[in-house]
Amino acid sequence: LMLLVAGYSGYLATHPAPVVPPAESAPQQIAPSYVAVLEDDTYTPVLVVTAFRGPWRMTVEPLRDLTPYAGKVFQVWAVERDTGRVRPLVQVSGSEVLQQRLGDEGWDAIKTSESLIVTVEDAGTAPSAPSGDAIFSGPCVNLKGPTET
């Protein structure tokens, strides 16, 4: 028995147990603070806009192809809750998911909005106000409650 234990100890000394790396955990998913599902005039969802804090950023996910006419874009606007003031957020010109960082002004536009709308505008610099009627719209919902803005 002593010989068997000594042999096994010698084997363990020359063949250490393999090191098993710790399981990698998925990055922590951060829940959005705001979401808006924008619909067309037939109440069909067309676009989902989510806004996250820490760092402030926005994701725009078209639910169908949104390829505008040449030289045009779909402009997403925030409509302020108390005043109705309209502020530009982002331009969309395809069906790809768009992720954009938000500065102070962009985050303020999201957190004070009651809804988001989309208009068709000329491509390039965002205009200061919509040039036509909204083609998509939806309420902007605070998912974290009134204490988080």
Side-chain angles (χ1 to χ4, degrees), residues 7 15 24 28 33 36 45 58 60 66 75 82-83 90 96 107 135 137:
H15 296 88
E24 290 186 29
Q28 181 181 6
S33 296
M58 176 174 54
V60 180
L66 291 179
Q75 176 68 53
D82 297 324
T83 65
V90 66
E96 300 83 30
W107 185 253
I135 57 170
S137 63

Side-chain angles (χ1 to χ4, degrees), residues 7-22:
Y8 184 68
S9 296
Y11 173 80
L12 288 179
T14 60
H15 296 88
V19 176
V20 178

Side-chain angles (χ1 to χ4, degrees), residues 43 58 89 111 121:
Y43 305 104
M58 176 174 54
L89 285 175
K111 74 179 187 178
E121 304 293 342

Side-chain angles (χ1 to χ4, degrees), residues 44-131:
T44 302
V46 176
L47 200 65
V48 177
V49 178
T50 49
F52 303 82
R53 76 181 282 171
W56 295 333
R57 63 198 185 287
M58 176 174 54
T59 300
V60 180
E61 182 178 358
L63 301 177
R64 66 180 192 211
D65 183 38
L66 291 179
T67 304
Y69 295 114
K72 299 290 185 179
V73 293
F74 294 103
Q75 176 68 53
V76 180
W77 304 86
V79 180
E80 196 168 289
R81 184 179 312 104
D82 297 324
T83 65
R85 177 178 162 208
V86 180
R87 296 195 271 178
L89 285 175
V90 66
Q91 294 181 345
V92 179
S93 61
S95 58
E96 300 83 30
V97 173
L98 177 66
Q99 295 184 343
Q100 177 174 313
R101 291 207 176 276
L102 291 172
D104 291 341
E105 189 173 320
W107 185 253
D108 186 61
I110 291 284
K111 74 179 187 178
T112 62
S113 69
E114 71 177 356
S115 64
L116 302 183
I117 63 171
V118 174
T119 60
V120 177
E121 304 293 342
D122 291 330
T125 305
S128 58
S131 64

